[in-house]
Amino acid sequence: MMAVMRQQGAGERRSSIVSPRGGRARSEFDQKVLDIRRTARVVAGGRRFSFRAAVVIGDRAGRVGFGVGKGSAVADAVDKGALHARKAIIRVPVTNGKSIPHEVAAKFSAARVVLKPAPEGRGIVAGGPVRTIADLAGIKNLSAKILGRTANKLNNAKAVIEALKKLKKQESRSKNQGEKEGSAAGDS
């Protein structure tokens, strides 16, 4: 039997955790850098530069997190972003067809996104941060659209995370709908 290894693309790496013995152990999360920006503040004698990195981590099995880190070097900013993302992990319900259970829309600041389930084999039909977050969450079939006019990757990514937080498992949705119907019938 041959083990199939997935090639890592540009901007993607396995995050690692420093073990007590000094070596780096592999983490269960993959990480991708969404955006790196250089920021400057003016001080006496010139400008002082720092970096901001937006990082998404996920295990491709229903857990994903998004974080922003700032540091004096790019590597520091990415590490801090990964640490913040690890603290903000959410669980995403994924169906057997590797899609989402139902359609969902969300808004964060000026960013608006709509996520729709897609049939098996369709793939991820989405752009920008939506594709990255869906891939790291383990969603293989998804149709999405960024409706907001903003090109800000941070706000678009946060809108996608808000949309994924709104997702409910199929069983809990049907159970909640049954309770609502039962209480409406009992009132009359």
Side-chain angles (χ1 to χ4, degrees):
M1 286 182 126
M2 273 178 72
V4 178
M5 295 294 290
R6 193 172 119 32
Q7 264 188 330
Q8 292 182 347
E12 178 180 352
R13 72 178 197 192
R14 277 263 184 196
S15 59
S16 56
I17 300 170
V18 178
S19 68
R21 290 185 275 213
R24 287 196 171 255
R26 294 272 321 231
S27 170
E28 75 261 35
F29 295 111
D30 290 338
Q31 76 180 35
K32 282 188 181 179
V33 177
L34 270 184
D35 190 32
I36 295 177
R37 288 287 166 100
R38 186 181 76 169
T39 60
R41 71 175 188 271
V42 179
V43 294
R47 295 188 187 110
R48 182 114 354 119
F49 294 107
S50 61
F51 297 91
R52 181 195 72 193
V55 180
V56 179
I57 66 168
D59 63 355
R60 291 188 164 88
R63 291 191 301 167
V64 68
F66 173 74
V68 178
K70 297 174 186 176
S72 57
V74 173
D76 293 340
V78 170
D79 289 342
K80 286 180 186 178
L83 185 67
H84 288 288
R86 188 169 277 119
K87 291 178 182 178
I89 287 192
I90 61 168
R91 183 161 287 284
V92 179
V94 180
T95 63
N96 292 338
K98 295 288 184 189
S99 187
I100 57 176
H102 57 88
E103 183 177 332
V104 66
K107 180 181 185 305
F108 184 88
S109 189
R112 293 186 318 158
V113 294
V114 175
L115 308 178
K116 296 180 182 181
E120 193 160 353
R122 171 70 57 90
I124 299 175
V125 182
V130 182
R131 177 180 291 274
T132 304
I133 292 172
D135 180 40
L136 288 175
I139 300 169
K140 300 288 182 220
N141 302 299
L142 177 77
S143 183
K145 183 67 182 166
I146 297 174
L147 298 174
R149 293 180 54 130
T150 181
N152 186 336
K153 290 182 184 178
L154 267 66
N155 285 345
N156 284 328
K158 287 180 179 182
V160 173
I161 294 292
E162 288 301 316
L164 293 176
K165 283 180 186 176
K166 289 182 178 181
L167 286 174
K168 303 283 189 269
K169 289 188 178 168
Q170 202 65 40
E171 305 86 45
S172 65
R173 275 187 57 158
S174 57
K175 185 170 67 172
N176 288 344
Q177 287 175 351
E179 288 173 7
K180 287 178 187 173
E181 291 170 4
S183 66
D187 289 340
S188 9

